[in-house]
Amino acid sequence: MKLIGLRIDVDTYRGTKRGTPELCRILAKHGIKGTFYFSVGPDNMGRHLWRLLKPAFLWKMLRTNAAGLYGPEIVLMGTAWPGPQIGKRLGAVIKATADAGHEIGLHAYDHHKAQAKIDRMTPEEMHNELQKGVDILTAILGEPPVTSAVPGWRCNDALLLEKAAFPFRFNSDCRGSTLFMPIVDGRRLPQPQVPVTLPTYDEILGRNGVTDDNYNTHMLSLLQEEHPNVLTIHAEAEGGKCAAMFDQFLTRAGEQGWEFKTLGELVAGQPQWPDGAIEPRPFPGREGWLACQK
Ligand SMILES: [Zn+2]
């Protein structure tokens, strides 16, 4: 099998407004549908500036030239003034993405808060954040989102339990190698997990000799035939500075016989569901911990 599940994370106002339509254009050109995860509340991503105080994040900013990648307004967004409400202002972009045939999921209400504060959130706060995001997406789409994916792969068992109360058909909250059914406190949760199997652009650029010139070749070399691959791209990167490179990746992958699917299609095509669990682990190219498949 030569399958790639395509997941598109949209973290910011700019990524929604500019990156998403650009990716829709590229995907339409290749006849590919993906699963878009939208952040729909305030864009407070500029608060990441504060994380510059942490050395690992500083290195990542230098390695990937984050201001060049995301644009200066993203780096500053939410630092000195409240960030714009993405869903309220750009609902038409999200609806158009659904109307183009892509699968739509919830990334976050407040991407920054979900990523930075999960360790300190009570189950009730987690529920409220999910509910706010689901309500906004439901109003935009006319139906609830079918899936969700935590920002920054910051997920824990408590959050999985809260997600189980929502009508998501599956979730994509961790890094790993194979699709599985999460077990929490001895209970098999009803929503399958679709782990991301491949690294992201910002994780590997500038490491181990990976540059923009050999990035696609490197990514193609990581694809495996034993099980579906799951790729995450970002509207801010592959829908912006890296758009031409991503377009070429789709061409080359297609020439090599790789077929792109939405994550929902991967779930529907999965013959059997092994049990699994998530645990926090350090991850190459990222600061702090990420939820990983045990
Ligand atoms: Zn994100």
Side-chain angles (χ1 to χ4, degrees):
M1 99 179 72
K2 296 186 89 168
L3 295 179
I4 303 173
L6 180 60
R7 163 176 157 178
I8 303 104
D9 286 10
V10 190
D11 296 353
T12 62
Y13 183 83
R14 180 186 162 115
T16 313
K17 187 176 181 179
R18 301 195 195 171
T20 298
E22 174 68 0
L23 281 175
C24 285
R25 187 189 65 75
I26 294 170
L27 294 176
K29 185 177 129 187
H30 291 270
I32 291 170
K33 303 280 192 279
T35 303
F36 281 77
Y37 288 100
F38 286 103
S39 310
V40 294
D43 180 350
N44 288 324
M45 289 298 281
R47 294 192 198 279
H48 279 295
L49 260 195
W50 296 109
R51 298 161 77 212
L52 275 172
L53 298 170
K54 297 184 182 171
F57 190 70
L58 174 62
W59 280 118
K60 182 165 148 179
M61 294 281 281
L62 292 173
R63 227 175 54 234
T64 61
N65 180 21
L69 184 62
Y70 289 107
E73 70 266 40
I74 283 183
V75 178
L76 291 171
M77 197 81 82
T79 48
W81 55 89
Q85 292 282 338
I86 299 169
K88 208 172 270 180
R89 291 177 50 179
L90 299 175
V93 176
I94 297 172
K95 183 70 166 72
T97 307
D99 290 344
H102 300 291
E103 190 168 53
I104 307 296
L106 174 67
H107 198 27
Y109 173 72
D110 181 336
H111 191 288
H112 172 73
K113 183 178 174 188
Q115 192 171 1
K117 297 195 176 159
I118 178 173
D119 286 325
R120 283 167 282 148
M121 274 195 220
T122 64
E124 192 186 2
E125 277 177 286
M126 290 174 177
H127 179 89
N128 290 343
E129 292 294 305
L130 288 168
Q131 187 72 60
K132 283 190 280 186
V134 166
D135 287 349
I136 292 171
L137 268 183
T138 303
I140 291 169
L141 301 170
E143 60 190 8
V146 295
T147 176
S148 72
V150 287
W153 294 278
R154 291 275 167 110
C155 192
N156 57 28
D157 283 352
L159 185 50
L160 287 183
L161 287 172
E162 293 309 314
K163 285 190 174 210
F166 288 85
F168 304 131
R169 293 210 311 267
F170 63 92
N171 299 311
S172 180
D173 300 312
C174 64
R175 310 300 284 259
S177 55
T178 51
L179 281 65
F180 68 94
M181 296 301 291
I183 305 289
V184 175
D185 296 336
R187 177 181 150 214
R188 195 179 214 239
L189 299 186
Q191 296 159 346
Q193 266 298 319
V194 181
V196 172
T197 68
L198 294 162
T200 61
Y201 177 77
D202 56 331
E203 284 167 4
I204 54 171
L205 193 81
R207 291 183 161 237
N208 303 319
V210 176
T211 64
D212 279 334
D213 292 332
N214 60 24
Y215 181 76
N216 283 342
T217 303
H218 179 74
M219 290 300 283
L220 289 165
S221 77
L222 298 177
L223 297 172
Q224 305 208 344
E225 296 191 26
E226 302 88 85
H227 49 72
N229 302 273
V230 180
L231 172 68
T232 298
I233 62 167
H234 285 86
E236 290 77 9
E238 282 85 350
K241 184 191 103 148
C242 309
M245 189 174 80
F246 179 61
D247 193 345
Q248 285 165 18
F249 175 78
L250 296 180
T251 301
R252 289 177 62 186
E255 284 167 0
Q256 294 182 15
W258 293 97
E259 205 182 327
F260 289 87
K261 301 272 190 193
T262 65
L263 303 197
E265 287 172 324
L266 290 189
V267 168
Q270 177 81 355
Q272 53 200 348
W273 288 93
D275 289 347
I278 60 170
E279 63 180 5
R281 275 193 227 144
F283 200 85
R286 294 208 172 252
E287 83 171 291
W289 60 272
L290 268 61
C292 293
Q293 183 177 7
K294 244 187 207 167

